Amino acid sequence: EDQVTQSPEALRLQEGESSSLNCSYTVSGLRGLFWYRQDPGKGPEFLFTLYSAGEEKEKERLKATLTKKESFLHITAPKPEDSATYLCAVQAKGETSGSRLTFGEGTQLTVNP
Amino acid sequence: GAGVSQSPRYKVAKRGQDVALRCDPISGHVSLFWYQQALGQGPEFLTYFQNEAQLDKSGLPSDRFFAERPEGSVSTLKIQRTQQEDSAVYLCASSLGRPTDTQYFGPGTRLTVL
């Protein structure tokens, strides 16, 4: 069974204080690992897809990396508008898994001014 | 362009009532997904359509849950005889159709069962 564990559950940072969020996963065969951002009362908003170990992707203050067991979302010099819940999800290979995403419980990030 | 839309945004039902939740995917998107998100949790997969074919319904929690997409566009998730444990946000997502294509989510429908 595919599993995704995110840590920490909650993280409070000062504006400009860089940090990283962790996503550990177990999956029979990884097709893709996805990062989403979710604001209160809204649906998840896509950030990145990573496909293989060693891959990195960047967008503004965010950088996502992938190993064979985990992914990190690095936040450099965060701003208050980066406050949100960050969700990690995996998609497994194979006919039985189809295209479904298996999500972690998310990390709730608060950036104080 | 227009994103995924869902209606209603909020639904309050009395225990035992039937409800129907609607999803309008992004135009041209072949794949459509339903997820359930409990408070403070990540979304959990319910079911998946490719055009009008329901290819995976393994995540539906009971036979009270039923989904359809008769013309390969709009989808409806129906919950019969609602129970309090059905209270959650129901999210719809759509994608172009290949497995790793990005799934774009709608705003969700918050269902509260009293």
Side-chain angles (χ1 to χ4, degrees), chain A residues 31 34 36 38 41-44 46 51 87 91 96 99-101 103-105, chain B residues 9 33 35 37 41-43 45 48 56 58 91 99-100 102-103 105-107:
Chain A
R31 178 177 275 151
F34 301 77
Y36 283 85
Q38 187 173 28
K42 296 189 176 181
F46 172 74
Y51 298 100
L87 295 166
Q91 188 180 66
T96 56
S99 299
R100 70 165 71 181
L101 297 179
F103 282 87
E105 297 192 350
Chain B
R9 291 293 316 278
F33 304 83
Y35 292 86
Q37 187 173 28
Q41 305 293 312
F45 171 80
Y48 155 59
D56 186 353
S58 61
L91 295 165
T100 51
T102 300
Q103 294 184 24
F105 283 81

PDB file of all heavy atoms in Angstrom, chain A residues 31 34 36 38 41-44 46 51 87 91 96 99-101 103-105, chain B residues 9 33 35 37 41-43 45 48 56 58 91 99-100 102-103 105-107:
ATOM      1  N   ARG A  31       5.707   6.706 -10.104  1.00  0.00           N
ATOM      2  CA  ARG A  31       5.501   7.306 -11.418  1.00  0.00           C
ATOM      3  C   ARG A  31       5.755   8.814 -11.335  1.00  0.00           C
ATOM      4  O   ARG A  31       6.344   9.399 -12.228  1.00  0.00           O
ATOM      5  CB  ARG A  31       4.085   7.047 -11.921  1.00  0.00           C
ATOM      6  CG  ARG A  31       3.768   7.666 -13.261  1.00  0.00           C
ATOM      7  CD  ARG A  31       2.373   7.295 -13.702  1.00  0.00           C
ATOM      8  NE  ARG A  31       2.324   6.000 -14.376  1.00  0.00           N
ATOM      9  CZ  ARG A  31       1.266   5.193 -14.372  1.00  0.00           C
ATOM     10  NH1 ARG A  31       0.186   5.531 -13.720  1.00  0.00           N
ATOM     11  NH2 ARG A  31       1.291   4.056 -15.029  1.00  0.00           N
ATOM     12  N   PHE A  34       4.184  14.756  -6.458  1.00  0.00           N
ATOM     13  CA  PHE A  34       3.556  16.044  -6.711  1.00  0.00           C
ATOM     14  C   PHE A  34       3.539  16.878  -5.436  1.00  0.00           C
ATOM     15  O   PHE A  34       3.289  16.358  -4.338  1.00  0.00           O
ATOM     16  CB  PHE A  34       2.111  15.841  -7.182  1.00  0.00           C
ATOM     17  CG  PHE A  34       1.989  15.018  -8.443  1.00  0.00           C
ATOM     18  CD1 PHE A  34       2.117  13.636  -8.406  1.00  0.00           C
ATOM     19  CD2 PHE A  34       1.744  15.621  -9.660  1.00  0.00           C
ATOM     20  CE1 PHE A  34       2.004  12.877  -9.568  1.00  0.00           C
ATOM     21  CE2 PHE A  34       1.627  14.872 -10.814  1.00  0.00           C
ATOM     22  CZ  PHE A  34       1.764  13.499 -10.766  1.00  0.00           C
ATOM     23  N   TYR A  36       1.588  20.285  -3.882  1.00  0.00           N
ATOM     24  CA  TYR A  36       0.493  21.226  -4.031  1.00  0.00           C
ATOM     25  C   TYR A  36       0.513  22.180  -2.839  1.00  0.00           C
ATOM     26  O   TYR A  36       0.953  21.833  -1.743  1.00  0.00           O
ATOM     27  CB  TYR A  36      -0.863  20.508  -4.032  1.00  0.00           C
ATOM     28  CG  TYR A  36      -1.226  19.797  -5.313  1.00  0.00           C
ATOM     29  CD1 TYR A  36      -0.767  18.497  -5.550  1.00  0.00           C
ATOM     30  CD2 TYR A  36      -2.040  20.395  -6.266  1.00  0.00           C
ATOM     31  CE1 TYR A  36      -1.108  17.832  -6.715  1.00  0.00           C
ATOM     32  CE2 TYR A  36      -2.390  19.729  -7.442  1.00  0.00           C
ATOM     33  CZ  TYR A  36      -1.923  18.452  -7.660  1.00  0.00           C
ATOM     34  OH  TYR A  36      -2.265  17.786  -8.812  1.00  0.00           O
ATOM     35  N   GLN A  38      -2.285  24.508  -0.555  1.00  0.00           N
ATOM     36  CA  GLN A  38      -3.710  24.672  -0.334  1.00  0.00           C
ATOM     37  C   GLN A  38      -3.952  25.793   0.663  1.00  0.00           C
ATOM     38  O   GLN A  38      -3.465  25.740   1.801  1.00  0.00           O
ATOM     39  CB  GLN A  38      -4.350  23.366   0.172  1.00  0.00           C
ATOM     40  CG  GLN A  38      -5.863  23.445   0.262  1.00  0.00           C
ATOM     41  CD  GLN A  38      -6.498  22.103   0.586  1.00  0.00           C
ATOM     42  OE1 GLN A  38      -5.902  21.243   1.218  1.00  0.00           O
ATOM     43  NE2 GLN A  38      -7.732  21.896   0.128  1.00  0.00           N
ATOM     44  N   GLY A  41     -10.133  27.021   2.631  1.00  0.00           N
ATOM     45  CA  GLY A  41     -11.358  27.161   1.864  1.00  0.00           C
ATOM     46  C   GLY A  41     -11.191  27.011   0.366  1.00  0.00           C
ATOM     47  O   GLY A  41     -12.141  27.240  -0.392  1.00  0.00           O
ATOM     48  N   LYS A  42     -10.008  26.609  -0.075  1.00  0.00           N
ATOM     49  CA  LYS A  42      -9.757  26.462  -1.515  1.00  0.00           C
ATOM     50  C   LYS A  42      -9.247  25.061  -1.831  1.00  0.00           C
ATOM     51  O   LYS A  42      -8.837  24.319  -0.945  1.00  0.00           O
ATOM     52  CB  LYS A  42      -8.743  27.494  -1.982  1.00  0.00           C
ATOM     53  CG  LYS A  42      -9.232  28.930  -1.839  1.00  0.00           C
ATOM     54  CD  LYS A  42      -8.297  29.912  -2.519  1.00  0.00           C
ATOM     55  CE  LYS A  42      -8.845  31.325  -2.447  1.00  0.00           C
ATOM     56  NZ  LYS A  42      -7.952  32.293  -3.139  1.00  0.00           N
ATOM     57  N   GLY A  43      -9.274  24.722  -3.116  1.00  0.00           N
ATOM     58  CA  GLY A  43      -8.729  23.446  -3.538  1.00  0.00           C
ATOM     59  C   GLY A  43      -7.218  23.520  -3.660  1.00  0.00           C
ATOM     60  O   GLY A  43      -6.640  24.601  -3.741  1.00  0.00           O
ATOM     61  N   PRO A  44      -6.553  22.368  -3.678  1.00  0.00           N
ATOM     62  CA  PRO A  44      -5.097  22.358  -3.842  1.00  0.00           C
ATOM     63  C   PRO A  44      -4.675  23.008  -5.164  1.00  0.00           C
ATOM     64  O   PRO A  44      -5.312  22.794  -6.196  1.00  0.00           O
ATOM     65  CB  PRO A  44      -4.749  20.870  -3.824  1.00  0.00           C
ATOM     66  CG  PRO A  44      -5.866  20.223  -3.067  1.00  0.00           C
ATOM     67  CD  PRO A  44      -7.084  21.007  -3.449  1.00  0.00           C
ATOM     68  N   PHE A  46      -1.523  23.324  -7.849  1.00  0.00           N
ATOM     69  CA  PHE A  46      -0.331  22.594  -8.264  1.00  0.00           C
ATOM     70  C   PHE A  46       0.923  23.453  -8.192  1.00  0.00           C
ATOM     71  O   PHE A  46       0.911  24.638  -8.594  1.00  0.00           O
ATOM     72  CB  PHE A  46      -0.523  22.096  -9.698  1.00  0.00           C
ATOM     73  CG  PHE A  46       0.704  21.495 -10.311  1.00  0.00           C
ATOM     74  CD1 PHE A  46       1.137  20.252  -9.916  1.00  0.00           C
ATOM     75  CD2 PHE A  46       1.435  22.193 -11.264  1.00  0.00           C
ATOM     76  CE1 PHE A  46       2.273  19.695 -10.481  1.00  0.00           C
ATOM     77  CE2 PHE A  46       2.570  21.652 -11.823  1.00  0.00           C
ATOM     78  CZ  PHE A  46       2.996  20.403 -11.430  1.00  0.00           C
ATOM     79  N   TYR A  51       9.898  13.335 -11.094  1.00  0.00           N
ATOM     80  CA  TYR A  51       9.733  11.994 -11.641  1.00  0.00           C
ATOM     81  C   TYR A  51      10.808  11.005 -11.216  1.00  0.00           C
ATOM     82  O   TYR A  51      10.538   9.794 -11.149  1.00  0.00           O
ATOM     83  CB  TYR A  51       9.709  12.048 -13.178  1.00  0.00           C
ATOM     84  CG  TYR A  51       8.560  12.846 -13.735  1.00  0.00           C
ATOM     85  CD1 TYR A  51       8.735  14.164 -14.169  1.00  0.00           C
ATOM     86  CD2 TYR A  51       7.293  12.287 -13.833  1.00  0.00           C
ATOM     87  CE1 TYR A  51       7.674  14.898 -14.682  1.00  0.00           C
ATOM     88  CE2 TYR A  51       6.226  13.012 -14.353  1.00  0.00           C
ATOM     89  CZ  TYR A  51       6.434  14.321 -14.767  1.00  0.00           C
ATOM     90  OH  TYR A  51       5.380  15.036 -15.282  1.00  0.00           O
ATOM     91  N   LEU A  87       0.928  20.218   0.508  1.00  0.00           N
ATOM     92  CA  LEU A  87       0.580  18.813   0.378  1.00  0.00           C
ATOM     93  C   LEU A  87       1.528  18.115  -0.580  1.00  0.00           C
ATOM     94  O   LEU A  87       1.866  18.651  -1.642  1.00  0.00           O
ATOM     95  CB  LEU A  87      -0.848  18.672  -0.157  1.00  0.00           C
ATOM     96  CG  LEU A  87      -1.981  19.174   0.730  1.00  0.00           C
ATOM     97  CD1 LEU A  87      -3.279  19.295  -0.064  1.00  0.00           C
ATOM     98  CD2 LEU A  87      -2.183  18.260   1.920  1.00  0.00           C
ATOM     99  N   GLN A  91       2.146   9.197  -7.094  1.00  0.00           N
ATOM    100  CA  GLN A  91       1.390   8.428  -8.063  1.00  0.00           C
ATOM    101  C   GLN A  91       2.232   7.198  -8.388  1.00  0.00           C
ATOM    102  O   GLN A  91       3.411   7.315  -8.745  1.00  0.00           O
ATOM    103  CB  GLN A  91       1.139   9.244  -9.321  1.00  0.00           C
ATOM    104  CG  GLN A  91       0.191   8.595 -10.307  1.00  0.00           C
ATOM    105  CD  GLN A  91      -0.007   9.467 -11.545  1.00  0.00           C
ATOM    106  OE1 GLN A  91       0.924   9.676 -12.307  1.00  0.00           O
ATOM    107  NE2 GLN A  91      -1.210   9.983 -11.710  1.00  0.00           N
ATOM    108  N   THR A  96      -3.251  -1.223 -11.592  1.00  0.00           N
ATOM    109  CA  THR A  96      -4.197  -1.149 -10.476  1.00  0.00           C
ATOM    110  C   THR A  96      -4.195   0.219  -9.821  1.00  0.00           C
ATOM    111  O   THR A  96      -5.184   0.627  -9.230  1.00  0.00           O
ATOM    112  CB  THR A  96      -3.879  -2.212  -9.417  1.00  0.00           C
ATOM    113  OG1 THR A  96      -2.514  -2.043  -9.001  1.00  0.00           O
ATOM    114  CG2 THR A  96      -4.065  -3.606  -9.965  1.00  0.00           C
ATOM    115  N   SER A  99      -4.307   6.464 -12.207  1.00  0.00           N
ATOM    116  CA  SER A  99      -3.769   7.810 -12.121  1.00  0.00           C
ATOM    117  C   SER A  99      -4.025   8.444 -10.764  1.00  0.00           C
ATOM    118  O   SER A  99      -3.805   9.637 -10.598  1.00  0.00           O
ATOM    119  CB  SER A  99      -4.386   8.680 -13.219  1.00  0.00           C
ATOM    120  OG  SER A  99      -4.067   8.176 -14.495  1.00  0.00           O
ATOM    121  N   ARG A 100      -4.502   7.659  -9.809  1.00  0.00           N
ATOM    122  CA  ARG A 100      -4.856   8.247  -8.515  1.00  0.00           C
ATOM    123  C   ARG A 100      -3.631   8.816  -7.823  1.00  0.00           C
ATOM    124  O   ARG A 100      -2.522   8.344  -7.980  1.00  0.00           O
ATOM    125  CB  ARG A 100      -5.469   7.190  -7.612  1.00  0.00           C
ATOM    126  CG  ARG A 100      -4.467   6.160  -7.132  1.00  0.00           C
ATOM    127  CD  ARG A 100      -4.988   5.346  -5.988  1.00  0.00           C
ATOM    128  NE  ARG A 100      -6.038   4.426  -6.405  1.00  0.00           N
ATOM    129  CZ  ARG A 100      -6.658   3.613  -5.565  1.00  0.00           C
ATOM    130  NH1 ARG A 100      -6.359   3.629  -4.288  1.00  0.00           N
ATOM    131  NH2 ARG A 100      -7.579   2.799  -6.019  1.00  0.00           N
ATOM    132  N   LEU A 101      -3.848   9.861  -7.015  1.00  0.00           N
ATOM    133  CA  LEU A 101      -2.814  10.428  -6.158  1.00  0.00           C
ATOM    134  C   LEU A 101      -3.064   9.975  -4.724  1.00  0.00           C
ATOM    135  O   LEU A 101      -4.206   9.967  -4.264  1.00  0.00           O
ATOM    136  CB  LEU A 101      -2.830  11.952  -6.221  1.00  0.00           C
ATOM    137  CG  LEU A 101      -2.531  12.588  -7.581  1.00  0.00           C
ATOM    138  CD1 LEU A 101      -2.605  14.106  -7.481  1.00  0.00           C
ATOM    139  CD2 LEU A 101      -1.174  12.150  -8.093  1.00  0.00           C
ATOM    140  N   PHE A 103      -2.115  11.183  -1.058  1.00  0.00           N
ATOM    141  CA  PHE A 103      -1.634  12.389  -0.397  1.00  0.00           C
ATOM    142  C   PHE A 103      -1.145  12.114   1.025  1.00  0.00           C
ATOM    143  O   PHE A 103      -1.630  11.198   1.702  1.00  0.00           O
ATOM    144  CB  PHE A 103      -2.759  13.429  -0.294  1.00  0.00           C
ATOM    145  CG  PHE A 103      -3.036  14.165  -1.562  1.00  0.00           C
ATOM    146  CD1 PHE A 103      -3.921  13.651  -2.493  1.00  0.00           C
ATOM    147  CD2 PHE A 103      -2.442  15.390  -1.825  1.00  0.00           C
ATOM    148  CE1 PHE A 103      -4.197  14.328  -3.674  1.00  0.00           C
ATOM    149  CE2 PHE A 103      -2.718  16.089  -2.998  1.00  0.00           C
ATOM    150  CZ  PHE A 103      -3.594  15.548  -3.923  1.00  0.00           C
ATOM    151  N   GLY A 104      -0.210  12.957   1.475  1.00  0.00           N
ATOM    152  CA  GLY A 104       0.114  13.043   2.884  1.00  0.00           C
ATOM    153  C   GLY A 104      -0.875  13.965   3.578  1.00  0.00           C
ATOM    154  O   GLY A 104      -1.793  14.518   2.943  1.00  0.00           O
ATOM    155  N   GLU A 105      -0.690  14.156   4.877  1.00  0.00           N
ATOM    156  CA  GLU A 105      -1.626  14.973   5.643  1.00  0.00           C
ATOM    157  C   GLU A 105      -1.297  16.457   5.575  1.00  0.00           C
ATOM    158  O   GLU A 105      -2.081  17.277   6.051  1.00  0.00           O
ATOM    159  CB  GLU A 105      -1.688  14.483   7.081  1.00  0.00           C
ATOM    160  CG  GLU A 105      -2.232  13.053   7.179  1.00  0.00           C
ATOM    161  CD  GLU A 105      -2.562  12.646   8.590  1.00  0.00           C
ATOM    162  OE1 GLU A 105      -2.207  13.390   9.536  1.00  0.00           O
ATOM    163  OE2 GLU A 105      -3.172  11.577   8.770  1.00  0.00           O
TER     164      GLU A 105
ATOM    165  N   ARG B   9     -21.098  25.100  -3.357  1.00  0.00           N
ATOM    166  CA  ARG B   9     -19.870  25.234  -2.576  1.00  0.00           C
ATOM    167  C   ARG B   9     -20.077  24.718  -1.154  1.00  0.00           C
ATOM    168  O   ARG B   9     -19.145  24.203  -0.533  1.00  0.00           O
ATOM    169  CB  ARG B   9     -19.417  26.689  -2.526  1.00  0.00           C
ATOM    170  CG  ARG B   9     -18.917  27.238  -3.862  1.00  0.00           C
ATOM    171  CD  ARG B   9     -17.605  26.532  -4.291  1.00  0.00           C
ATOM    172  NE  ARG B   9     -16.671  26.379  -3.202  1.00  0.00           N
ATOM    173  CZ  ARG B   9     -15.851  27.315  -2.784  1.00  0.00           C
ATOM    174  NH1 ARG B   9     -15.863  28.502  -3.344  1.00  0.00           N
ATOM    175  NH2 ARG B   9     -15.005  27.074  -1.787  1.00  0.00           N
ATOM    176  N   PHE B  33     -11.396  13.229 -11.532  1.00  0.00           N
ATOM    177  CA  PHE B  33     -11.173  12.531 -10.266  1.00  0.00           C
ATOM    178  C   PHE B  33     -12.047  13.163  -9.177  1.00  0.00           C
ATOM    179  O   PHE B  33     -12.260  14.373  -9.160  1.00  0.00           O
ATOM    180  CB  PHE B  33      -9.709  12.676  -9.826  1.00  0.00           C
ATOM    181  CG  PHE B  33      -8.710  12.214 -10.846  1.00  0.00           C
ATOM    182  CD1 PHE B  33      -8.321  13.049 -11.882  1.00  0.00           C
ATOM    183  CD2 PHE B  33      -8.130  10.964 -10.746  1.00  0.00           C
ATOM    184  CE1 PHE B  33      -7.391  12.641 -12.824  1.00  0.00           C
ATOM    185  CE2 PHE B  33      -7.199  10.545 -11.683  1.00  0.00           C
ATOM    186  CZ  PHE B  33      -6.835  11.383 -12.721  1.00  0.00           C
ATOM    187  N   TYR B  35     -12.070  13.320  -4.887  1.00  0.00           N
ATOM    188  CA  TYR B  35     -11.350  13.074  -3.645  1.00  0.00           C
ATOM    189  C   TYR B  35     -12.209  13.567  -2.478  1.00  0.00           C
ATOM    190  O   TYR B  35     -12.997  14.493  -2.619  1.00  0.00           O
ATOM    191  CB  TYR B  35     -10.010  13.821  -3.616  1.00  0.00           C
ATOM    192  CG  TYR B  35      -8.979  13.328  -4.608  1.00  0.00           C
ATOM    193  CD1 TYR B  35      -8.967  13.804  -5.917  1.00  0.00           C
ATOM    194  CD2 TYR B  35      -7.995  12.415  -4.233  1.00  0.00           C
ATOM    195  CE1 TYR B  35      -8.011  13.367  -6.829  1.00  0.00           C
ATOM    196  CE2 TYR B  35      -7.039  11.973  -5.141  1.00  0.00           C
ATOM    197  CZ  TYR B  35      -7.055  12.455  -6.437  1.00  0.00           C
ATOM    198  OH  TYR B  35      -6.110  12.020  -7.340  1.00  0.00           O
ATOM    199  N   GLN B  37     -11.824  15.082   1.457  1.00  0.00           N
ATOM    200  CA  GLN B  37     -10.851  15.646   2.384  1.00  0.00           C
ATOM    201  C   GLN B  37     -11.526  15.936   3.713  1.00  0.00           C
ATOM    202  O   GLN B  37     -12.352  16.854   3.819  1.00  0.00           O
ATOM    203  CB  GLN B  37     -10.213  16.911   1.809  1.00  0.00           C
ATOM    204  CG  GLN B  37      -9.081  17.448   2.665  1.00  0.00           C
ATOM    205  CD  GLN B  37      -8.327  18.601   2.010  1.00  0.00           C
ATOM    206  OE1 GLN B  37      -8.881  19.345   1.203  1.00  0.00           O
ATOM    207  NE2 GLN B  37      -7.060  18.767   2.344  1.00  0.00           N
ATOM    208  N   GLN B  41      -6.887  16.879   7.213  1.00  0.00           N
ATOM    209  CA  GLN B  41      -6.278  15.727   6.551  1.00  0.00           C
ATOM    210  C   GLN B  41      -5.981  16.041   5.085  1.00  0.00           C
ATOM    211  O   GLN B  41      -6.477  17.029   4.533  1.00  0.00           O
ATOM    212  CB  GLN B  41      -7.218  14.521   6.620  1.00  0.00           C
ATOM    213  CG  GLN B  41      -7.660  14.142   8.010  1.00  0.00           C
ATOM    214  CD  GLN B  41      -6.539  13.637   8.857  1.00  0.00           C
ATOM    215  OE1 GLN B  41      -5.760  12.784   8.436  1.00  0.00           O
ATOM    216  NE2 GLN B  41      -6.408  14.184  10.061  1.00  0.00           N
ATOM    217  N   GLY B  42      -5.184  15.173   4.464  1.00  0.00           N
ATOM    218  CA  GLY B  42      -4.978  15.300   3.033  1.00  0.00           C
ATOM    219  C   GLY B  42      -6.131  14.675   2.272  1.00  0.00           C
ATOM    220  O   GLY B  42      -6.892  13.875   2.822  1.00  0.00           O
ATOM    221  N   PRO B  43      -6.301  15.034   0.992  1.00  0.00           N
ATOM    222  CA  PRO B  43      -7.363  14.432   0.188  1.00  0.00           C
ATOM    223  C   PRO B  43      -7.174  12.927   0.045  1.00  0.00           C
ATOM    224  O   PRO B  43      -6.039  12.444  -0.044  1.00  0.00           O
ATOM    225  CB  PRO B  43      -7.210  15.133  -1.165  1.00  0.00           C
ATOM    226  CG  PRO B  43      -6.487  16.401  -0.875  1.00  0.00           C
ATOM    227  CD  PRO B  43      -5.567  16.091   0.253  1.00  0.00           C
ATOM    228  N   PHE B  45      -8.475   9.592  -2.334  1.00  0.00           N
ATOM    229  CA  PHE B  45      -9.054   9.234  -3.619  1.00  0.00           C
ATOM    230  C   PHE B  45     -10.377   8.501  -3.431  1.00  0.00           C
ATOM    231  O   PHE B  45     -10.515   7.617  -2.577  1.00  0.00           O
ATOM    232  CB  PHE B  45      -8.069   8.334  -4.372  1.00  0.00           C
ATOM    233  CG  PHE B  45      -8.623   7.714  -5.625  1.00  0.00           C
ATOM    234  CD1 PHE B  45      -8.684   8.444  -6.798  1.00  0.00           C
ATOM    235  CD2 PHE B  45      -9.085   6.414  -5.629  1.00  0.00           C
ATOM    236  CE1 PHE B  45      -9.188   7.885  -7.964  1.00  0.00           C
ATOM    237  CE2 PHE B  45      -9.589   5.835  -6.772  1.00  0.00           C
ATOM    238  CZ  PHE B  45      -9.637   6.564  -7.943  1.00  0.00           C
ATOM    239  N   TYR B  48     -12.373   7.647 -10.342  1.00  0.00           N
ATOM    240  CA  TYR B  48     -11.680   8.223 -11.484  1.00  0.00           C
ATOM    241  C   TYR B  48     -12.392   7.837 -12.777  1.00  0.00           C
ATOM    242  O   TYR B  48     -12.801   6.689 -12.937  1.00  0.00           O
ATOM    243  CB  TYR B  48     -10.239   7.703 -11.448  1.00  0.00           C
ATOM    244  CG  TYR B  48      -9.483   7.652 -12.750  1.00  0.00           C
ATOM    245  CD1 TYR B  48      -9.273   8.794 -13.517  1.00  0.00           C
ATOM    246  CD2 TYR B  48      -8.944   6.450 -13.206  1.00  0.00           C
ATOM    247  CE1 TYR B  48      -8.552   8.742 -14.690  1.00  0.00           C
ATOM    248  CE2 TYR B  48      -8.222   6.391 -14.381  1.00  0.00           C
ATOM    249  CZ  TYR B  48      -8.023   7.539 -15.123  1.00  0.00           C
ATOM    250  OH  TYR B  48      -7.300   7.485 -16.283  1.00  0.00           O
ATOM    251  N   ASP B  56     -11.909   3.426 -12.129  1.00  0.00           N
ATOM    252  CA  ASP B  56     -11.487   3.034 -10.788  1.00  0.00           C
ATOM    253  C   ASP B  56     -12.462   3.638  -9.792  1.00  0.00           C
ATOM    254  O   ASP B  56     -12.585   4.853  -9.715  1.00  0.00           O
ATOM    255  CB  ASP B  56     -10.057   3.526 -10.526  1.00  0.00           C
ATOM    256  CG  ASP B  56      -9.477   3.039  -9.205  1.00  0.00           C
ATOM    257  OD1 ASP B  56     -10.216   2.422  -8.417  1.00  0.00           O
ATOM    258  OD2 ASP B  56      -8.283   3.287  -8.965  1.00  0.00           O
ATOM    259  N   SER B  58     -12.449   2.190  -6.567  1.00  0.00           N
ATOM    260  CA  SER B  58     -12.020   1.449  -5.387  1.00  0.00           C
ATOM    261  C   SER B  58     -11.994   2.300  -4.121  1.00  0.00           C
ATOM    262  O   SER B  58     -11.987   1.758  -3.026  1.00  0.00           O
ATOM    263  CB  SER B  58     -10.632   0.844  -5.619  1.00  0.00           C
ATOM    264  OG  SER B  58      -9.683   1.868  -5.853  1.00  0.00           O
ATOM    265  N   LEU B  91     -13.612  17.145  -3.235  1.00  0.00           N
ATOM    266  CA  LEU B  91     -12.825  17.829  -4.251  1.00  0.00           C
ATOM    267  C   LEU B  91     -12.905  17.095  -5.580  1.00  0.00           C
ATOM    268  O   LEU B  91     -12.849  15.869  -5.623  1.00  0.00           O
ATOM    269  CB  LEU B  91     -11.352  17.901  -3.828  1.00  0.00           C
ATOM    270  CG  LEU B  91     -11.029  18.736  -2.590  1.00  0.00           C
ATOM    271  CD1 LEU B  91      -9.626  18.409  -2.087  1.00  0.00           C
ATOM    272  CD2 LEU B  91     -11.124  20.218  -2.911  1.00  0.00           C
ATOM    273  N   PRO B  99      -1.304   9.602 -17.465  1.00  0.00           N
ATOM    274  CA  PRO B  99      -1.200   9.386 -16.014  1.00  0.00           C
ATOM    275  C   PRO B  99      -0.509  10.507 -15.244  1.00  0.00           C
ATOM    276  O   PRO B  99      -0.990  10.899 -14.187  1.00  0.00           O
ATOM    277  CB  PRO B  99      -0.408   8.077 -15.920  1.00  0.00           C
ATOM    278  CG  PRO B  99      -0.792   7.336 -17.154  1.00  0.00           C
ATOM    279  CD  PRO B  99      -0.924   8.390 -18.222  1.00  0.00           C
ATOM    280  N   THR B 100       0.607  11.040 -15.731  1.00  0.00           N
ATOM    281  CA  THR B 100       1.314  12.050 -14.934  1.00  0.00           C
ATOM    282  C   THR B 100       0.912  13.470 -15.293  1.00  0.00           C
ATOM    283  O   THR B 100       1.516  14.425 -14.802  1.00  0.00           O
ATOM    284  CB  THR B 100       2.836  11.908 -15.094  1.00  0.00           C
ATOM    285  OG1 THR B 100       3.149  11.873 -16.480  1.00  0.00           O
ATOM    286  CG2 THR B 100       3.341  10.663 -14.397  1.00  0.00           C
ATOM    287  N   THR B 102      -0.849  16.882 -14.930  1.00  0.00           N
ATOM    288  CA  THR B 102      -1.227  17.598 -13.708  1.00  0.00           C
ATOM    289  C   THR B 102      -2.722  17.504 -13.468  1.00  0.00           C
ATOM    290  O   THR B 102      -3.524  17.715 -14.392  1.00  0.00           O
ATOM    291  CB  THR B 102      -0.815  19.070 -13.820  1.00  0.00           C
ATOM    292  OG1 THR B 102       0.598  19.147 -13.989  1.00  0.00           O
ATOM    293  CG2 THR B 102      -1.224  19.842 -12.567  1.00  0.00           C
ATOM    294  N   GLN B 103      -3.089  17.191 -12.244  1.00  0.00           N
ATOM    295  CA  GLN B 103      -4.490  17.218 -11.841  1.00  0.00           C
ATOM    296  C   GLN B 103      -4.778  18.606 -11.266  1.00  0.00           C
ATOM    297  O   GLN B 103      -4.144  19.037 -10.301  1.00  0.00           O
ATOM    298  CB  GLN B 103      -4.771  16.130 -10.805  1.00  0.00           C
ATOM    299  CG  GLN B 103      -4.615  14.727 -11.385  1.00  0.00           C
ATOM    300  CD  GLN B 103      -4.985  13.634 -10.410  1.00  0.00           C
ATOM    301  OE1 GLN B 103      -5.754  13.846  -9.469  1.00  0.00           O
ATOM    302  NE2 GLN B 103      -4.450  12.441 -10.633  1.00  0.00           N
ATOM    303  N   PHE B 105      -7.389  21.070  -9.430  1.00  0.00           N
ATOM    304  CA  PHE B 105      -8.489  20.896  -8.501  1.00  0.00           C
ATOM    305  C   PHE B 105      -9.475  22.057  -8.536  1.00  0.00           C
ATOM    306  O   PHE B 105      -9.095  23.219  -8.750  1.00  0.00           O
ATOM    307  CB  PHE B 105      -7.957  20.755  -7.067  1.00  0.00           C
ATOM    308  CG  PHE B 105      -7.377  19.402  -6.772  1.00  0.00           C
ATOM    309  CD1 PHE B 105      -6.088  19.085  -7.163  1.00  0.00           C
ATOM    310  CD2 PHE B 105      -8.131  18.444  -6.119  1.00  0.00           C
ATOM    311  CE1 PHE B 105      -5.546  17.837  -6.902  1.00  0.00           C
ATOM    312  CE2 PHE B 105      -7.607  17.189  -5.853  1.00  0.00           C
ATOM    313  CZ  PHE B 105      -6.316  16.887  -6.239  1.00  0.00           C
ATOM    314  N   GLY B 106     -10.736  21.734  -8.266  1.00  0.00           N
ATOM    315  CA  GLY B 106     -11.752  22.741  -8.030  1.00  0.00           C
ATOM    316  C   GLY B 106     -11.720  23.197  -6.588  1.00  0.00           C
ATOM    317  O   GLY B 106     -10.924  22.697  -5.790  1.00  0.00           O
ATOM    318  N   PRO B 107     -12.617  24.144  -6.238  1.00  0.00           N
ATOM    319  CA  PRO B 107     -12.617  24.693  -4.877  1.00  0.00           C
ATOM    320  C   PRO B 107     -13.224  23.764  -3.842  1.00  0.00           C
ATOM    321  O   PRO B 107     -13.054  23.988  -2.652  1.00  0.00           O
ATOM    322  CB  PRO B 107     -13.469  25.956  -5.020  1.00  0.00           C
ATOM    323  CG  PRO B 107     -14.384  25.648  -6.149  1.00  0.00           C
ATOM    324  CD  PRO B 107     -13.590  24.795  -7.093  1.00  0.00           C
TER     325      PRO B 107
END
